[in-house]
Amino acid sequence: MVILIFIFGYLLIALENFFSVNKVIPSILMAVICWSLIIFLNIPVYELDQHLILKKNPKYLLLFHLGKASEIVFFLIGAMSIIAVIEKYSGFEAIKDLFYTNTKRKFLWIISIVSFLLSAIIDNLTATMVLISILKKTIYNYKDRLYYLGLVIISANAGGVWSPIGDITTTMLWISNKVTTIFLIKKIFIPSVLCMIISTLIASYMPVFNGYIQIKKNDLSKYCKHRGFFILKVGLSLMLLVPVLKTIIGIPPYMGMMFSLGIILIIVSKKYRSTSILDDVFKKVDISSILFFFGILLSVSSLESIGALYSLSHWINETVSTWKITTFLFGLISSIIDNVPLVAATITMFSYPLNHDLWHFIAYVSGTGGSIFLIGSAAGVSAMSMEKIDFLWYLKKISWIALIGYVSGFIYLLIYPFFSL
């Protein structure tokens, strides 16, 4: 029953325009109904702990998953708020001239490369949010902007997989002592570059990227430009501080993001004597996207708790002859189902040693595979909410490009041992 409710809710989200139902509604209801069924019917629930499956009280497990979901939600609130501060003080407007070019195709390559590099420094979700803000300041045609945004999602997810702080699933593997930074970069950097380059190359021949582009000249005053650059540097530096704090002090990312938010609010309040900064910033936080993401996380956690995801992963492991094919299938599954519980189940299910090739395959497929469908990654979900992207439009226009990029990088991973001989 829980699985059927999830499938039905997912279809309502995917066919949002057809049913004329805002995706936030099925997302929240799906989470509530799934967990209500588990509690009311006393369905056995489990928690994966190392190589054991521990039976748990459903109410306890709900609180546990609520805490995990809240970590991501508060991270999102902090990141969105910092971006809102940067936007309020024209930080992205100030750098618009850096993206100036005279053709759509060149602008596509600039956006893809920046997305790829930025997601490795901060994370793919935040990088996507930043690029959405920049695109809004440069590409005023909504239909054209959607195509650029599709490539931003692919590039940001590809850029996040080769950095231990670039994607949450890669970070999970890193923290669980499955991969080390040097080996991760050595094995995953080139396939992730191939994924980004090949996807962008294919997209660059689409008719929408032909011709010239008209980017309005920056009409900010000297003072506003200077202020914008300053706030942008402060904001991005504070975001970069989050993984540093996690590495040195050990505090969770959401606490580091909240700390960074507090610091930037103090700076702008004192430097620019803005007493209404909090009201202005929090009005711009997209509550609907936060609730949507929150509902998705709790819905997926219900499948994880009843053992559905573990059973699926275990069935694939027993059915498929080699783990390389298994990881390829995991990448495809991550395009439909959130990759976080999938990777968590994988970490528990396999007992391969540190830096085994399987972990590098998992790092690559769980991130880049999420680009195939719009709902398969945090970057895609965020873009879907912020720019009202239609699921079926993405499926028709962008998914096939993401799939080719995904397969290209995976093929390199398969033939990599021959290069190292």
Side-chain angles (χ1 to χ4, degrees):
M1 289 176 67
V2 172
I3 295 172
L4 288 175
I5 291 296
F6 180 85
I7 293 172
F8 181 69
Y10 182 81
L11 288 175
L12 287 177
I13 292 170
L15 303 174
E16 174 190 13
N17 290 342
F18 180 80
F19 290 106
S20 299
V21 177
N22 190 296
K23 59 186 172 293
V24 178
I25 299 172
S27 174
I28 295 173
L29 290 177
M30 179 169 60
V32 174
I33 294 173
C34 285
W35 276 104
S36 296
L37 285 172
I38 290 173
I39 294 172
F40 179 72
L41 299 177
N42 198 26
I43 299 173
V45 292
Y46 306 91
E47 178 185 350
L48 300 178
D49 183 15
Q50 297 299 324
H51 299 289
L52 301 174
I53 304 179
L54 304 177
K55 188 172 181 179
K56 295 290 182 180
N57 182 290
K59 292 182 180 179
Y60 162 80
L61 212 52
L62 175 57
L63 287 174
F64 173 73
H65 287 294
L66 179 66
K68 288 173 63 178
S70 297
E71 284 187 307
I72 299 177
V73 166
F74 280 102
F75 179 90
L76 281 174
I77 292 173
M80 287 181 178
S81 300
I82 292 175
I83 290 174
V85 172
I86 296 173
E87 214 167 11
K88 175 178 171 58
Y89 290 95
S90 306
F92 300 122
E93 187 76 15
I95 66 167
K96 194 171 72 172
D97 289 345
L98 300 178
F99 289 83
Y100 180 78
T101 183
N102 60 350
T103 67
K104 291 182 177 181
R105 188 168 287 115
K106 287 181 180 178
F107 185 77
L108 172 67
W109 280 100
I110 293 172
I111 284 292
S112 293
I113 293 171
V114 171
S115 303
F116 181 84
L117 296 176
L118 190 60
S119 65
I121 298 172
I122 42 179
D123 65 76
N124 51 5
L125 172 60
T126 309
T128 301
M129 293 163 64
V130 169
L131 268 297
I132 288 174
S133 298
I134 291 177
L135 284 172
K136 284 183 176 180
K137 302 293 183 181
T138 51
I139 306 298
Y140 296 98
N141 185 298
Y142 176 70
K143 291 184 178 179
D144 287 352
R145 190 163 70 240
L146 290 185
Y147 282 94
Y148 284 107
L149 190 51
L151 272 297
V152 165
I153 294 170
I154 295 173
S155 301
N157 285 336
V161 299
W162 62 272
S163 167
I165 59 173
D167 186 278
I168 187 170
T169 52
T170 310
T171 303
M172 288 167 58
L173 292 167
W174 179 49
I175 294 173
S176 302
N177 293 320
K178 302 300 182 183
V179 297
T180 58
T181 302
I182 294 176
F183 274 88
L184 181 69
I185 296 174
K186 180 181 177 182
K187 294 289 183 69
I188 306 299
F189 179 73
I190 293 179
S192 62
V193 168
L194 284 174
C195 179
M196 182 272 291
I197 288 180
I198 291 176
S199 298
T200 307
L201 183 64
I202 293 171
S204 67
Y205 287 97
M206 297 175 74
V208 70
F209 296 115
N210 290 334
Y212 295 94
I213 190 171
Q214 291 183 344
I215 300 178
K216 293 182 180 180
K217 288 291 185 178
N218 205 325
D219 55 358
L220 292 177
S221 64
K222 248 186 178 180
Y223 169 76
C224 288
K225 279 188 180 181
H226 181 269
R227 185 184 65 179
F229 274 118
F230 172 76
I231 294 297
L232 180 65
K233 288 186 289 186
V234 170
L236 294 184
S237 297
L238 287 170
M239 285 185 171
L240 283 170
L241 184 63
V242 175
V244 175
L245 290 174
K246 182 185 181 303
T247 302
I248 297 176
I249 303 177
I251 63 173
Y254 74 94
M255 290 185 67
M257 190 62 75
M258 285 296 167
F259 174 78
S260 295
L261 174 60
I263 295 299
I264 196 171
L265 289 175
I266 289 175
I267 291 172
V268 296
S269 296
K270 297 298 182 183
K271 187 175 179 65
Y272 302 112
R273 302 185 183 278
S274 177
T275 58
S276 62
I277 182 64
L278 285 175
D279 293 334
D280 295 339
V281 167
F282 293 137
K283 283 178 182 177
K284 293 186 178 180
V285 174
D286 189 355
I287 299 298
S288 64
S289 71
I290 291 173
L291 288 175
F292 173 66
F293 200 59
F294 184 70
I296 289 291
L297 288 172
L298 281 185
S299 300
V300 172
S301 70
S302 69
L303 297 182
E304 181 185 6
S305 297
I306 63 175
L309 294 182
Y310 179 82
S311 298
L312 176 62
S313 301
H314 194 67
W315 175 80
I316 292 174
N317 186 39
E318 290 185 339
T319 305
V320 181
S321 58
T322 172
W323 60 260
K324 292 180 180 179
I325 298 177
T326 300
T327 56
F328 181 82
L329 295 176
F330 277 8
L332 298 181
I333 293 171
S334 72
S335 68
I336 303 172
I337 299 175
D338 186 77
N339 52 12
V340 174
L342 194 65
V343 172
T346 304
I347 291 173
T348 304
M349 188 169 58
F350 295 110
S351 57
Y352 291 96
L354 177 69
N355 286 324
H356 189 277
D357 282 345
L358 174 132
W359 303 122
H360 297 119
F361 274 67
I362 290 294
Y364 174 79
V365 302
S366 62
T368 56
S371 303
I372 298 174
F373 290 135
L374 186 58
I375 201 173
S377 67
V381 171
S382 175
M384 185 181 185
S385 299
M386 294 176 70
E387 280 285 31
K388 314 302 179 189
I389 305 177
D390 180 63
F391 180 89
L392 294 179
W393 178 90
Y394 186 94
L395 180 65
K396 180 180 178 181
K397 303 293 185 180
I398 306 297
S399 290
W400 66 277
I401 299 175
L403 179 61
I404 293 174
Y406 168 76
V407 172
S408 301
F410 190 85
I411 290 174
Y412 178 86
L413 283 174
L414 291 176
I415 64 177
Y416 172 80
F418 296 103
F419 291 121
S420 58
L421 292 178

